Amino acid sequence: MTDLACALRDLDEDKVLELVDERLKRGVSPLDIIAECNEGVAAVGDLFASGKYFLTELMFSGEIMQAVMARLEPLLATVGDEEQMAGTFVIGTVRGDIHDIGKNIVVSLLRSHGFKVIDLGVDVPAGKFVDMVRKTGAKVLGLSALLNTTYPEMKNVIDALKEAGLRDQVKVIVGGSIVSERVREYTGADAYATDAMTGVEFARKVYR
Ligand code: B12
């Protein structure tokens, strides 16, 4: 683990921000910095799962991540190539789940790549996704979830799209640190992503 990932794991906010600034000065890309931080929060998650950290530590890691993102978000606009493709992307964290730091990164990155993003927020019920896809005619829907208890809810959203007769019009990508090909298959999504850039690339392909 890098010094930045360790500082995040140890919840040393001052050190984290200092190391982020140091990397920015060196010209390290915001996405690489996010990847390093993700390694740190994954370690926090593991410490929580093994009972060494408690909810307070989990919350604090989220706050540090948000402070990091406040620094990085304005810079995401300069990430990627010049070519900008228009298209509408509806996104939200599914019902039962309130994790949104990763989703917000996806939103920023999509916007910086020229997409119109409709962000429905967190704990979003299936019907709200369906209504927004119908209303906007969006060709891509992104569902975020970090809890494995919310996988059935991702499937529920996709089933609701089918019932509404909208499934053929919209491609669905599920995202979050613990999604996988198996989750994609189970939910009936078209793709899955464990990083934000995959979501941008997927949307670009759909709108090409
Ligand atoms: C911070 C955090 C919290 C914060 C969230 C703050 C917030 N505003 O989001 C708080 C304290 C609120 C929280 C609460 C809980 N948490 Co929590 N949390 C975390 C932690 C440590 C980090 C998550 C994070 O922000 N990562 C950083 C971001 C940048 O990464 P990311 O979310 O993965 O997003 C990236 C990609 O996944 C991807 N992506 C994400 N979404 C999408 C969507 C699309 C469309 C695409 C394309 C890509 C994409 O792009 C992002 C950028 O690269 C994780 C640990 C982990 N390993 O993930 C646990 C973790 C997710 N939490 C966990 C748990 C258990 C909980 C609680 C149930 C704890 C409790 N007992 O109350 C509650 C649940 C509340 C709820 N109903 O949702 C478990 C889940 C276990 C599981 N497998 O189901 C984890 C894995 C910790 C663990 N190992 O036990 N949590």
Side-chain angles (χ1 to χ4, degrees):
M1 258 208 282
T2 66
D3 51 354
L4 175 53
C6 287
L8 229 155
R9 179 201 57 200
D10 301 341
L11 305 171
D12 186 342
E13 181 167 14
D14 291 342
K15 183 96 188 271
V16 168
L17 294 176
E18 190 190 302
L19 291 171
V20 166
D21 286 344
E22 175 266 326
R23 277 155 177 72
L24 289 174
K25 268 191 211 120
R26 274 200 284 125
V28 177
S29 110
L31 287 183
D32 288 341
I33 299 176
I34 291 171
E36 266 188 82
C37 291
N38 274 357
E39 214 188 320
V41 287
V44 172
D46 292 344
L47 286 165
F48 174 74
S50 65
K52 293 196 183 85
Y53 273 2
F54 298 98
L55 195 56
T56 326
E57 279 89 1
L58 208 60
M59 283 164 76
F60 192 35
S61 77
E63 280 165 27
I64 299 177
M65 224 21 225
Q66 264 154 351
V68 170
M69 285 318 296
R71 285 246 194 352
L72 298 183
E73 249 160 29
L75 304 168
L76 284 177
T78 59
V79 172
D81 55 42
E82 297 293 292
E83 185 200 3
Q84 296 210 330
M85 299 187 69
T88 305
F89 195 115
V90 175
I91 191 168
T93 302
V94 299
R95 186 170 55 190
D97 202 325
I98 60 160
H99 293 89
D100 68 353
I101 298 169
K103 170 189 70 61
N104 294 344
I105 295 175
V106 180
V107 170
S108 300
L109 206 60
L110 282 164
R111 289 195 174 131
S112 75
H113 283 78
F115 285 91
K116 179 180 175 191
V117 183
I118 295 155
D119 180 3
L120 296 175
V122 298
D123 195 21
V124 180
K128 212 167 163 187
F129 285 112
V130 171
D131 288 349
M132 200 45 84
V133 167
R134 185 186 289 114
K135 197 170 143 198
T136 59
K139 288 187 191 170
V140 193
L141 169 65
L143 302 177
S144 184
L146 262 74
L147 300 173
N148 45 23
T149 47
T150 48
Y151 293 157
E153 186 55 26
M154 288 178 149
K155 181 175 173 355
N156 193 22
V157 174
I158 295 174
D159 289 345
L161 285 169
K162 282 183 198 154
E163 271 166 39
L166 294 167
R167 185 65 184 96
D168 292 342
Q169 297 168 34
V170 64
K171 297 280 181 214
V172 184
I173 180 164
V174 292
S177 57
I178 47 176
V179 298
S180 61
E181 173 55 23
R182 270 185 71 199
V183 174
R184 186 206 64 73
E185 213 183 310
Y186 163 74
T187 56
D190 299 289
Y192 77 93
T194 52
D195 70 288
M197 201 54 209
T198 303
V200 174
E201 276 153 15
F202 180 73
R204 282 177 151 179
K205 256 188 244 150
V206 173
Y207 279 102
R208 189 174 290 150

